[in-house]
Amino acid sequence: MSRNEKSKTIKDYGKGRRSMRRKYVLAIAVTAVLVAAGIGGYLWLNSREQGPGPAQEKKLSEAEVKYNAAAKEADAKSESGDDAAAEAAIQQYLATQPPKEQANDARLKLAAAYQNQQKYDEAIAEYEKVGTEDDETKIAVLQGLGYAYEGKDEYGRAIEYFTQVVDTLKLRGNKDGDRIVETNRNHIEELQQRAAEAESGAEDEEL
């Protein structure tokens, strides 16, 4: 073998070694990434299977206990007829941020407690916070708003809400709905008469 050929062979061999070394290093890097990803994935899945740690479970448990205690107290005070106590208990219950459906029920009770204490503006504010996705809740809210405005002697507004109750129930077409429709229609007539009397009395005072 000539010197040139030998030199070329050595260079080719060196290039081959360097190429193999680069491939080897790349393979190690890829393997390390895959192993790290695998370990990370395993730890993540393992943590999900095991659920929250003791500290988190304790926190959730305390929140749940507080929520249940507040709900029980709110129900007890509402049923007792002590509206001032019911108001305070329901407000504490709502502070625990209950689920939407339970919050809606609580707000209806809170609005009723306000109404019974003749706090009509507060009652109206609570009724307006209640979600009305279903007909039953919608009717309860409309009826409550009607009575609240009636309590404020705003007969025109009250009639608007009682009329909405009638319109909503007419679409349902069942016997229970028909009875409530008839009751609301009679009440609307009474309110119209009272509104007319109030207007007539105001005119007489001006004369």
Side-chain angles (χ1 to χ4, degrees), residues 81-97:
D82 186 344
D83 295 305
E87 175 189 333
I90 295 169
Q91 286 174 339
Q92 289 180 358
Y93 169 66
L94 288 170
T96 67
Q97 298 181 334

Side-chain angles (χ1 to χ4, degrees), residues 2 5 8 24 42 46 48 52 61 73 81 100 111 116-117 127 134 138 144 147 174 180 190 199 202:
S2 67
E5 288 174 339
K8 184 176 183 302
Y24 180 69
Y42 171 77
N46 193 42
R48 283 176 61 86
S61 178
E73 179 73 7
K100 186 175 182 180
N116 292 338
Q117 298 174 81
Y127 282 127
D134 61 276
K138 181 179 181 181
Y147 284 118
N174 58 47
I180 299 172
E190 292 175 10
E199 186 176 351

Side-chain angles (χ1 to χ4, degrees), residues 4 40 127-128 134 138 145 156 158 161 167 182:
N4 289 337
Y127 282 127
E128 290 177 344
D134 61 276
K138 181 179 181 181
L145 285 167
Y161 285 111
D167 292 342
E182 187 64 25

Side-chain angles (χ1 to χ4, degrees), residues 9 32 45 57 71 86 119 121 138 146 182-183 185-186:
T9 300
L45 288 171
E57 284 179 355
K119 298 179 179 180
D121 289 329
K138 181 179 181 181
E182 187 64 25
T183 300
R185 280 177 173 165
N186 293 336

Side-chain angles (χ1 to χ4, degrees), residues 92-153:
Q92 289 180 358
Y93 169 66
L94 288 170
T96 67
Q97 298 181 334
K100 186 175 182 180
E101 186 176 349
Q102 284 84 347
N104 282 342
D105 290 340
R107 291 193 186 284
L108 287 172
K109 291 178 181 178
L110 180 57
Y114 281 137
Q115 225 162 318
N116 292 338
Q117 298 174 81
Q118 299 183 352
K119 298 179 179 180
Y120 299 117
D121 289 329
E122 290 89 338
I124 289 167
E126 287 304 319
Y127 282 127
E128 290 177 344
K129 293 175 185 176
V130 177
T132 55
E133 288 81 5
D134 61 276
D135 283 348
E136 285 74 14
T137 305
K138 181 179 181 181
I139 290 165
V141 168
L142 292 172
Q143 195 115 23
L145 285 167
Y147 284 118
Y149 279 107
E150 179 182 349
K152 295 181 66 176
D153 295 334

